[in-house]
Amino acid sequence: MEKPALFGQTLSEIQSIVAELGLKPYVAKQLTEWLYQKHARSFAEMTNLSLSVRQILDEKFRLGKSEPSRVQASSDGTKKYLFPAGSRGFIEAAYIPDEDRATLCVSSQVGCKMGCLFCMTGKQGFQAQLSAGEILNQISSLPERENLTNIVYMGMGEPLDNLLQVMKSLEILSANWGYGMSPRRITVSTIGLVPAMKHFLEHSEAHLAVSMHSPFHDERRKLMPIENVYPIADVVEKIRAYNLGKQRRISFEYIMFKGVNDSPRHVKEIARLLNGMRVRINLIRFHPIPDTPLESSDDDTIRQFREGLLKKGFRTTLRASRGQDIFAACGLLSTKELVKLQAPDF
Amino acid sequence: MDIGLSGFIKKLPLVSLPVIENLQISPGAFVLTVERISDFLPGQVVALSTDDKIAPRLYSICSAPDNEYLQVLFSLKPDGELTPLLARLKPGDTLRVSAPFGAFLGDDRPAWWIAAGTGVAPYRAMMLAGLAHNKKLIHGGRFANQFYFQDEFLDCLGESYIRCCSQETGDGLFSGRLTQWLREQVLPSEISFFLCGSVEMVVETRDILISKGVDIDNIMSEVYF
Ligand SMILES: Cc1cc2nc3c(=O)[nH]c(=O)nc-3n(C[C@H](O)[C@H](O)[C@H](O)COP(=O)(O)OP(=O)(O)OC[C@H]3O[C@@H](n4cnc5c(N)ncnc54)[C@H](O)[C@@H]3O)c2cc1C
Ligand code: SF4
């Protein structure tokens, strides 16, 4: 069996490991420094640990970082990295540089269980949960790591369906003993798994992006089966009931589908649903995926939709389409060709 | 930072009910019975847990809305967190149960009900509520013993009950996956298609239906995530 990975463990977990191995307590702090601040890729690099300590660690643990196995570059500077996820397949991360910022879109699962109609990852089914270390490895092993200004959990998978590991990765990213990154530079997206979302809101300071895609129950459940159990109205109500403070950002993602969710009636209903909330709405052009009956709204309709929302007082952006030519854009990540698909249960 | 799940679990309104029966109806498949304390609509789910330390999972109700008991059908996932504990429950043990919720609701209009594995559960509730008369049920399972409630479905639906078995052959069974059966069919127009079960079944079936010209407005999916 593979040795457990040290990378991706929190300070308190590493303290327990150090105590169990009978090492001096200060080794825990040295280890988190090497793992998360000095970006060591092997135990041999940890030169302020004695040789015997390094040997003990090496016997029991692997460090747990792995290089991307492939990179594809888009003409617009976006890059898509393929990372191995242990023996359970591959995941993709999209690096999106901009004028004054560079964002990494990370994956949280191999595949996804949510089955949204418009999503390539959804078509792959579910293969595995990522550990906190596998989530963080997409950041740590990124050649452009030092340029990163923002992390968004919007890659493959529904982050809040892997709540424990995602929360651990957020702790490591934002802790002083970890990457020391401001949670205001991190956004977690969700389709609205209500119980897990409540936990996230209460235990993390990171921003939240909710995939809305339609304000109407009957329409949304055709696009996103989750609407049957956690309707968008409930999701909004739960967020409304939560005191978010001034710094924390809640945004709603809205992919524009021609003739489906792009009418003035939708603008009106979104405004009613989000009435009085200080939120941002991100409109996104749809990138058609194979075998889909959906098409993207045209530019004029998107512009009018945006103006309608702006008039209602909502900060509304149209997210630029990045990395479309290498399938790195929103909803296009998939490793279906590379993973061993689950034997179906039917 | 507390990364445990205790916070939100404590806030989910679950009530403790004694287990009345936990019957293994087939290898690895159980019907769990408690008293019904709320009304529900056929197709709805409840969140269940055995105690406050374990995040509740969702289960479709498989009993009739007017029954004095509430039942769910679950399959044991040996590496799962909750189902091994559910499988060990005995009469008198405590189960934590939420109020029913969900919008995957049966109705009176003609439809095909499509299910993989335990995804057949909500259709039993719908059938027991008298909604089966203009329905066809297509159920996919790997083995012949996974066609849960087949006697009841056969009685009620007769030839409109199709069992697709992918790993075994048997009397009355279509030999192959339900997706294969569907590919071979000419689909009726103007009816709805209900899909319930694993994401793998739902996404593949949805693609087949769409490729055969079914409008997305007529496809309703419940994914067991
Ligand atoms: C709306 C809805 C209705 C449902 N109705 C039913 C129903 O009627 N009957 C029914 O049987 N089920 C139903 N389900 C599924 C049910 O909620 C549970 O997901 C299922 O019973 C498994 O629970 P578990 O705790 O045993 O497994 P979990 O612990 O949740 O694990 C599920 C599977 O994932 C694997 N797994 C767990 N953790 C990891 C990890 N870290 N890495 C890799 N793999 C992992 C496990 O091995 C297991 O096979 C429904 C789900 C939904 C959303
Ligand atoms: S949109 Fe997100 S939640 Fe939906 S299937 Fe794709 S990855 Fe999963």
Side-chain angles (χ1 to χ4, degrees), chain A residues 145-176:
Chain A
R145 184 190 61 226
E146 296 301 329
N147 305 344
L148 286 178
T149 58
N150 297 72
I151 309 287
V152 295
Y153 285 63
M154 289 187 186
M156 299 172 62
E158 160 57 40
L160 298 186
D161 186 40
N162 187 11
L163 182 63
L164 268 175
Q165 298 304 319
V166 165
M167 292 303 288
K168 251 176 82 169
S169 68
L170 291 172
E171 180 183 357
I172 296 168
L173 274 179
S174 50
N176 286 334

Side-chain angles (χ1 to χ4, degrees), chain B residues 39-61:
Chain B
D39 288 338
F40 72 91
L41 298 168
Q44 287 193 308
V45 300
V46 282
L48 298 181
S49 186
T50 45
D51 63 66
D52 286 348
K53 286 185 207 69
I54 294 181
R57 274 42 171 189
L58 306 185
Y59 295 89
S60 305
I61 302 169

Side-chain angles (χ1 to χ4, degrees), chain A residues 51-86:
Chain A
L51 193 60
S52 63
V53 169
R54 280 182 264 159
Q55 272 167 352
I56 294 173
L57 290 170
D58 202 20
E59 259 168 43
K60 307 261 182 208
F61 292 91
R62 68 196 158 88
L63 197 103
K65 295 188 185 179
S66 53
E67 302 292 333
S69 44
R70 192 176 74 196
V71 55
Q72 286 172 279
S74 159
S75 49
D76 66 12
T78 302
K79 287 184 184 171
K80 187 169 74 171
Y81 286 95
L82 183 76
F83 285 98

Side-chain angles (χ1 to χ4, degrees), chain A residues 88 128-129 229, chain B residues 45 57-60 73-75 77 79-84 118 121 222-225:
Chain A
R88 296 151 314 141
Q129 301 286 14
V229 278
Chain B
V45 300
R57 274 42 171 189
L58 306 185
Y59 295 89
S60 305
L73 163 73
F74 70 92
S75 63
K77 307 264 181 254
D79 307 327
E81 192 181 4
L82 182 62
T83 51
T118 51
E222 180 90 306
V223 175
Y224 282 4
F225 59 82

Side-chain angles (χ1 to χ4, degrees), chain A residues 48 156 161 190-191 236 313 318:
Chain A
N48 64 352
M156 299 172 62
D161 186 40
T190 181
I191 59 170
V236 170
L318 172 60

Side-chain angles (χ1 to χ4, degrees), chain A residues 111-116 118-122 155-158 191 224 331:
Chain A
C112 183
K113 294 186 213 157
M114 302 299 145
C116 301
F118 46 82
C119 173
M120 279 286 272
T121 310
M156 299 172 62
E158 160 57 40
I191 59 170
M224 307 166 75

Side-chain angles (χ1 to χ4, degrees), chain A residues 113-115 117 122-123 126 163-164 167-168 171 195 199 202-203 217 221-222 226 228-229 344-346, chain B residues 1-5 8 11 101-103 142 166 177 198-200 203 206-207 217 220-223 225:
Chain A
K113 294 186 213 157
M114 302 299 145
L117 179 64
K123 283 195 181 241
F126 175 74
L163 182 63
L164 268 175
M167 292 303 288
K168 251 176 82 169
E171 180 183 357
H199 181 84
E202 285 163 16
H203 294 88
H217 175 67
R221 66 201 185 119
K222 284 163 195 156
I226 192 70
N228 278 326
V229 278
D345 62 343
F346 60 94
Chain B
M1 184 166 89
D2 168 20
I3 60 159
L5 300 180
F8 82 73
K11 284 176 206 125
F101 63 103
R142 285 164 60 81
S166 62
R177 292 216 174 106
S198 62
V199 68
E200 287 78 16
V203 293
R206 204 171 51 195
D207 276 355
D217 282 343
M220 194 54 59
S221 314
E222 180 90 306
V223 175
F225 59 82

